[in-house]
C-alpha cells in the first residue's frame, strides 16, 4: 500500500509568520511531488511541484524534497489569512497519491 | 494549464438512480482521471479514463458502479450508478499531460453529489 502521510493539523500560525507543512511517502519509486491548496468547498489548486532533491522557491512558497528520507515539505513565508486552507501533498509514480491534507489557519 | 469544465457542479439525487458527470477540457490531454473526495477526506482515485478503450479502475471501484467513457482526448464522463447515500461525495475530474517532465495534474471544479 503506497501511502502519503501528513499531519492533519490544524496548524495555526500568526499573520506574517512562516508556516511549515510536512509530508512523508512510502513509495521509493515516486518521481514527482506536488502541493495543492484546497479551500473549503473548492477543488484542489496546484501551488508547487518539485522533482529533484533540494529546495524550489516560488514567491512566498518554498518546496523542499529529500528523497533519501522520503520527505517533502512546504514553507509559506509571510503567511496571510488568505493562505488559510487545507494543503494536500501528492506524490506521483505513474498515478497521483494524495495525503489527507493539513488544515492551516493563519490568524490576523 | 488546461481549463477543465465539469458539470453539473452539484446535484441532489434519489437513491437507486444514476448520475452522469461530464468533464470537458479546452485542449487535448494525454491522461484523464476521476477522483472521489468524501467529506473530510482526501482524494481517492477511482479510475483512469483511457481514450478509445476501457477505463482502468483502482482497487475497490468497479465498472458496473462507475462506468466511464472517453470518446476523445478532450472529453470524459463518469456515471455513478444505482446510488446510495454512501455515494454522497465530491467527484473530481483531473487531467495531466505526460509530456517530458510536465506531469502536473489539474482539477475541474468538482461535482458535489448528495444522495437522499
Amino acid at each position: 500500500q503506497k501511502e502519503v502521510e501528513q499531519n492533519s493539523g490544524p496548524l495555526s500560525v500568526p499573520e506574517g509568520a512562516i508556516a511549515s507543512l510536512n509530508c512523508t511517502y512510502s513509495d521509493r519509486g515516486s518521481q514527482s511531488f506536488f502541493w495543492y491548496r484546497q479551500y473549503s468547498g473548492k477543488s484542489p489548486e496546484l501551488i508547487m511541484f518539485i522533482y529533484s532533491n533540494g529546495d524550489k522557491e516560488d514567491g512566498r512558497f518554498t518546496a523542499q524534497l529529500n528523497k533519501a528520507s522520503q520527505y517533502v515539505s512546504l514553507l509559506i513565508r509571510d503567511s496571510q489569512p488568505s493562505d488559510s486552507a487545507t494543503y494536500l501533498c501528492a506524490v506521483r509514480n505513474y498515478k497521483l497519491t494524495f495525503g489527507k491534507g493539513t488544515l492551516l489557519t493563519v490568524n490576523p | 494549464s488546461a481549463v477543465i469544465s465539469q458539470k453539473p457542479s452539484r446535484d441532489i439525487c434519489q437513491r437507486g438512480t444514476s448520475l452522469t458527470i461530464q468533464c470537458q477540457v479546452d485542449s487535448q490531454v494525454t491522461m484523464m482521471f476521476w477522483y472521489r473526495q468524501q467529506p473530510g477526506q482526501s482524494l481517492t482515485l477511482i479510475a483512469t479514463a483511457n481514450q478509445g478503450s476501457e477505463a482502468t479502475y483502482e482497487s475497490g471501484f468497479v465498472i458496473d458502479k462507475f462506468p466511464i467513457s472517453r470518446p476523445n482526448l478532450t472529453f470524459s464522463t463518469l456515471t455513478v450508478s444505482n446510488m446510495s447515500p454512501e455515494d454522497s461525495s465530491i467527484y473530481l475530474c483531473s487531467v495531466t499531460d505526460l509530456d517530458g517532465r510536465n506531469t502536473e495534474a489539474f482539477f475541474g471544479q468538482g461535482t458535489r453529489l448528495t444522495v437522499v
Side-chain angles (χ1 to χ4, degrees):
Chain A
Q1 180 80 6
K2 298 179 174 61
E3 295 182 347
V4 178
E5 300 287 343
Q6 294 181 257
N7 188 327
S8 62
L11 173 65
S12 184
V13 301
E15 184 174 356
I18 296 175
S20 178
L21 304 162
N22 304 314
C23 172
T24 59
Y25 59 95
S26 62
D27 182 6
R28 285 195 172 274
S30 301
Q31 300 175 2
S32 312
F33 308 85
F34 306 88
W35 284 97
Y36 288 84
R37 177 175 62 199
Q38 187 174 27
Y39 293 112
S40 181
K42 301 295 185 181
S43 64
E45 172 192 11
L46 179 69
I47 54 172
M48 287 287 289
F49 60 89
I50 187 168
Y51 303 137
S52 304
N53 279 328
D55 296 358
K56 179 181 178 181
E57 186 174 319
D58 184 359
R60 296 186 296 112
F61 299 97
T62 298
Q64 299 175 317
L65 173 62
N66 184 326
K67 289 186 178 181
S69 300
Q70 296 175 247
Y71 175 88
V72 192
S73 67
L74 179 69
L75 300 177
I76 306 175
R77 291 181 298 282
D78 187 23
S79 295
Q80 301 297 309
S82 58
D83 294 326
S84 298
T86 296
Y87 288 80
L88 300 169
C89 174
V91 172
R92 179 191 296 284
N93 183 4
Y94 170 63
K95 68 178 184 181
L96 272 178
T97 301
F98 284 84
K100 292 186 176 181
T102 298
L103 176 61
L104 172 66
T105 301
V106 180
N107 302 306
Chain B
S1 62
V3 176
I4 306 165
S5 300
Q6 192 174 333
K7 59 181 181 182
S9 58
R10 60 178 62 231
D11 208 342
I12 301 173
C13 301
Q14 296 290 324
R15 68 177 66 199
T17 63
S18 298
L19 175 72
T20 295
I21 303 167
Q22 298 182 1
C23 178
Q24 178 73 55
V25 190
D26 68 342
S27 60
Q28 294 186 346
V29 291
T30 308
M31 309 290 284
M32 296 182 78
F33 305 90
W34 287 98
Y35 287 84
R36 180 175 73 183
Q37 188 173 30
Q38 295 178 304
Q41 301 297 313
S42 190
L43 284 74
T44 300
L45 180 63
I46 297 172
T48 303
N50 300 310
Q51 193 264 330
S53 64
E54 193 170 285
T56 304
Y57 289 85
E58 297 299 309
S59 176
F61 297 96
V62 295
I63 188 172
D64 289 347
K65 176 66 175 177
F66 298 101
I68 288 171
S69 77
R70 190 175 175 194
N72 56 52
L73 292 175
T74 64
F75 185 78
S76 178
T77 66
L78 168 74
T79 299
V80 186
S81 303
N82 188 25
M83 289 183 284
S84 67
E86 291 71 34
D87 295 320
S88 297
S89 189
I90 299 173
Y91 292 85
L92 293 150
C93 170
S94 173
V95 304
T96 187
D97 250 338
L98 294 179
D99 177 15
R101 305 191 77 185
N102 182 18
T103 61
E104 299 93 294
F106 302 96
F107 288 85
Q109 73 270 34
T111 297
R112 184 179 295 271
L113 170 63
T114 303
V115 183
V116 298

